Amino acid sequence: DWRIIATMNEYDKNALFDMSYAFMRRFAIIRVGLPDNYADVVGTWANAASIMPDIVTNMKEIITEHMNKREIGPAIFKSIIAYMIDRLKMGSKHLLYYAEALSIFLIPQLQGIDEDIVRSFADTIVSFLSSDKAAQKHFVENLYAITGYLIE
């Protein structure tokens, strides 16, 4: 006997249905939702990493305002924080590094979903990045490259 424990998102699970019912039956699928204190957990991680307070507030806003539209698990934000820790060792462009991290980890999670939902996420982020035009441009260009949606 052996077991595999793995995670997948809803979109990956749908691919199992495309393969065959016989293949799909071999998996026990247990849905694990987002934690009730999700924003607080991410805030604790980010604060412990000395992430700029405004960025922590923006991450928490993304979680509280948008996770009901598209669930994105805590690992994405943990990766964003880890990326920023590493990048901040090389410089101090907090907003640009945040835009890079969002482009690498968050934007790919928005592929294939409704344009209105993508725009809702993007509006929260683009307005936050407005004080750093290079960071804002980086985010908008990557959003377009990955999702095909142009935000102006």
Side-chain angles (χ1 to χ4, degrees):
D1 277 353
W2 58 274
R3 297 177 191 265
I4 295 175
I5 298 175
T7 62
M8 72 175 128
N9 61 39
E10 296 292 324
Y11 299 103
D12 292 337
K13 185 178 93 177
N14 290 336
L16 290 176
F17 293 109
D18 292 340
M19 291 182 186
S20 78
Y21 182 70
F23 184 68
M24 186 189 67
R25 300 194 305 253
R26 286 159 172 65
F27 294 90
I29 298 172
I30 302 167
R31 185 176 191 301
V32 178
L34 298 176
D36 293 336
N37 61 344
Y38 187 9
D40 294 331
V41 169
V42 170
T44 300
W45 292 339
N47 288 328
S50 300
I51 301 299
M52 192 170 84
D54 290 347
I55 292 174
V56 177
T57 300
N58 185 251
M59 283 194 275
K60 291 172 82 171
E61 182 180 357
I62 292 167
I63 292 165
T64 57
E65 307 240 342
H66 302 291
M67 288 304 123
N68 62 336
K69 300 169 192 153
R70 170 71 167 102
E71 287 187 348
I72 297 171
I76 296 299
F77 287 93
K78 189 110 174 151
S79 296
I80 289 169
I81 293 164
Y83 178 88
M84 290 192 64
I85 291 168
D86 288 340
R87 284 295 270 141
L88 287 167
K89 291 175 186 172
M90 297 178 253
S92 60
K93 297 179 180 177
H94 292 260
L95 292 179
L96 179 60
Y97 303 156
Y98 182 50
E100 290 172 357
L102 292 170
S103 298
I104 295 166
F105 300 106
L106 181 69
I107 293 175
Q109 305 303 314
L110 304 178
Q111 279 185 308
I113 63 172
D114 185 66
E115 183 176 357
D116 291 337
I117 295 171
V118 173
R119 286 187 182 282
S120 178
F121 270 91
D123 289 345
T124 299
I125 296 163
V126 168
S127 64
F128 173 71
L129 295 173
S130 65
S131 65
D132 184 331
K133 295 303 178 193
Q136 191 178 51
K137 181 178 187 254
H138 181 87
F139 178 81
V140 169
E141 287 176 350
N142 281 280
L143 183 73
Y144 177 70
I146 294 169
T147 67
Y149 299 132
L150 182 61
I151 307 295
E152 300 189 34

